[in-house]
Amino acid sequence: MRRFSFGELRAADLVVDATYEGDATRKNVSSEPLGPLTGTGNQGGFRFSGPVSRPNLVVLYTTMSEPDWPDSIDEENGLFIYFGDNRKPGFELHGQRAGRGGNEILRRAFELAHADSAGREEVPPFLVFAKGARGRDAVFLGLAAPGATHLEAAADLVAIWKSTGGQRFQNYRSVFTLLDAPVIRRAWLSELQTGSRLGPNCPAVWRSWVTSGKPKPLLAERITRVRTRDQQLGRTKQLTGAF
């Protein structure tokens, strides 16, 4: 697995399933890798650059380990399920006091995603990261677009009810398509920081989604059977004709 050291982050590309290391010499949030890597904040599930009303880009960060909010990735179908940031009672679904404005970003992004191409041009690219195996390390899961081809507009962003301590509240369950972009170049990240989403370094798969509204997912077939060494080298009786 490819690893990028903390010192490489400001110039690094984003490679699917690569690990981006935190700074093990620091004991606070300054050791967190996603800030220097993406130009966003260094805390929370939603991290973005630019104003919350029109982010330049959005990082979705997940630990994949919260049972009440089971974020998940479907590698075979190129889908990512992510829960919003209103995770405790006493706050309105889109209230920024409950989080960092993440649910409002979701609401607007999915609304624009189901509009025309001019609307999709206003959707910020979503970069998905999961917690790594060590310390503050993070793993890049991919570039994501709101929605999925098999879901209607009313089904890819749903407000669900939860209850804790006898108090009820709502949060979002969102479905994204992980696009077929194995590498996100640093040059595009630099363009995004200036507000240019469709600049010369924009990935073709993102530009195509903006134009057509049809995402091309990154599909990864699951390997369910491991062949023996002899099978891999063609030495089985069936392959050699020795019956």
Side-chain angles (χ1 to χ4, degrees):
M1 180 184 293
R2 180 73 185 276
R3 298 185 69 89
F4 291 86
S5 69
F6 190 81
E8 297 178 288
L9 299 182
R10 295 186 186 278
D13 296 330
L14 302 184
V15 180
V16 168
D17 284 346
T19 295
Y20 296 84
E21 297 178 352
D23 186 347
T25 67
R26 307 181 189 183
K27 303 302 180 183
N28 53 37
V29 294
S30 66
S31 68
E32 206 279 333
L34 297 186
L37 179 64
T38 66
T40 61
N42 56 15
Q43 295 185 71
F46 284 89
R47 311 180 189 194
F48 55 91
S49 70
V52 67
S53 59
R54 192 184 187 276
N56 297 323
L57 62 90
V58 178
V59 164
L60 300 179
Y61 176 77
T62 176
T63 64
M64 293 287 199
S65 62
E66 296 187 50
D68 292 332
W69 309 104
D71 300 334
S72 62
I73 180 173
D74 178 350
E75 295 97 341
E76 291 186 279
N77 294 298
L79 300 175
F80 178 63
I81 297 174
Y82 191 73
F83 289 83
D85 63 357
N86 192 38
R87 300 189 173 192
K88 54 186 177 181
F91 300 99
E92 192 268 330
L93 178 62
H94 302 115
Q96 292 194 32
R97 287 182 59 202
R100 299 177 180 273
N103 276 4
E104 178 58 26
I105 290 175
L106 286 179
R107 183 199 65 76
R108 178 168 170 75
F110 276 79
E111 180 180 90
L112 292 170
H114 295 302
D116 55 15
S117 59
R120 287 187 293 276
E121 285 186 25
E122 295 299 308
V123 176
F126 287 82
L127 306 175
V128 181
F129 289 85
K131 180 177 174 57
R134 300 187 309 191
R136 294 182 183 269
D137 290 359
V139 178
F140 180 55
L141 300 185
L143 170 66
T149 55
H150 70 289
L151 293 176
E152 298 180 352
D156 53 17
L157 182 68
V158 179
I160 59 173
W161 284 97
K162 291 278 188 174
S163 174
T164 181
Q167 293 182 293
R168 293 165 292 178
F169 61 103
Q170 284 183 300
N171 196 15
Y172 276 134
R173 177 186 184 273
S174 59
V175 181
F176 287 83
T177 297
L178 293 168
L179 300 180
D180 189 3
V183 180
I184 303 301
R185 298 299 178 190
R186 169 57 51 178
W188 190 45
L189 296 179
S190 298
E191 289 175 357
L192 289 174
Q193 295 297 346
T194 69
S196 175
R197 295 174 180 156
L198 299 177
N201 292 291
C202 173
V205 70
W206 182 265
R207 192 184 304 274
S208 175
W209 174 74
V210 169
T211 301
S212 68
K214 299 178 181 178
K216 181 183 179 183
L218 192 163
L219 306 178
E221 182 180 354
R222 188 180 303 276
I223 298 175
T224 57
R225 180 173 62 89
V226 179
R227 295 185 298 166
T228 67
R229 177 178 173 80
D230 284 346
Q231 288 174 328
Q232 294 178 44
L233 295 175
R235 293 175 180 168
T236 61
K237 290 182 180 180
Q238 185 174 0
L239 291 179
T240 59
F243 295 98

